[in-house]
Amino acid sequence: VLAPRRGWIFPGLDQRLAAAPALGSGAPPSRPYAAAAKTAKKGSQKTKQEETKKKQVTKRRLLMSKPVDDVYLTWYYERPSYNLEEAVGMLKKFQELDFTHPKQYVYINVFLDMALQKKKKVDPFASAVLLPYRFTDETNKVLVFTENEQEAEIARENGAAVVGGVELIKWILEDEIQVDFYVAVPAIMPKLIPLRNKLRRKYPSARRNSLGHDIPKMLQLFREGLEYMVEDENIIKTRIARV
């Protein structure tokens, strides 16, 4: 069979002929399956990996200052920020344009720096705070643990929903009593251990200001205060006002 060009019938023939050594030449034949090279030292491998990582880092596109058109890609531009007065004015304007209720809540996202020294982070937490201007008339139901009659009377006068001692443990475990928060005096804490797994983060503790001797102060904080908690490791999402 006549072929116009060598290699058309047998693909790769040119490469094999070119690779074959000439007769009588002292050069050793090339092996298609060469032995694997010896592994380099660990130090050199690390340096090579670091060099490849440096090469792989791509330069991030610089953000543009301000969009020119009405329709644009948001990730090309810096996110606009406004001062407090301007932001509140914009919320009121949006409320009028959208015909929403004028007493709707205003929410805020607070991003926390939870990093500590030696590559540790602060554990997510929950707490309550008294705002200088209350924006709702709702109050939380608070239970006060005490076995002192005088302290119990003070708790009732300051708006406690439930006041009692050890006799409340059974009712709480059976879900007969359900309130928003629990506060206690230090003297009764050893008797409340059976409620630790039931109440979890609502279990009275000095860290959350729900354990102490100042019953009126604790009741004001948890009846009128705003509860917040850290979500997604470093974000607090909560409402702070009304439009």
Side-chain angles (χ1 to χ4, degrees), residues 122-193:
V122 180
D123 294 330
F125 58 90
S127 185
V129 61
L130 274 176
L131 297 178
Y133 302 100
R134 295 194 66 223
F135 54 87
T136 177
D137 297 330
E138 302 173 358
T139 56
N140 300 314
K141 295 181 180 180
V142 184
L143 183 148
V144 179
F145 287 110
T146 180
E147 293 181 330
N148 186 301
E149 187 58 35
Q150 293 181 354
E151 293 176 342
E153 186 63 28
I154 293 173
R156 295 187 190 97
E157 291 176 356
N158 285 271
V162 183
V163 183
V166 184
E167 70 278 2
L168 301 178
I169 295 178
K170 180 181 178 181
W171 295 346
I172 295 173
L173 292 174
E174 295 177 355
D175 293 329
E176 295 291 334
I177 295 179
Q178 293 182 353
V179 295
D180 299 311
F181 296 99
Y182 301 83
V183 300
V185 294
I188 200 174
M189 285 305 296
K191 302 178 182 179
L192 301 181
I193 295 177

Side-chain angles (χ1 to χ4, degrees), residues 101-118:
H101 200 278
K103 291 187 178 181
Q104 62 181 332
Y105 291 114
V106 177
Y107 291 82
I108 187 174
N109 291 354
V110 183
F111 294 85
L112 303 179
D113 182 5
M114 306 284 279
L116 292 176
Q117 295 179 355
K118 297 182 180 179

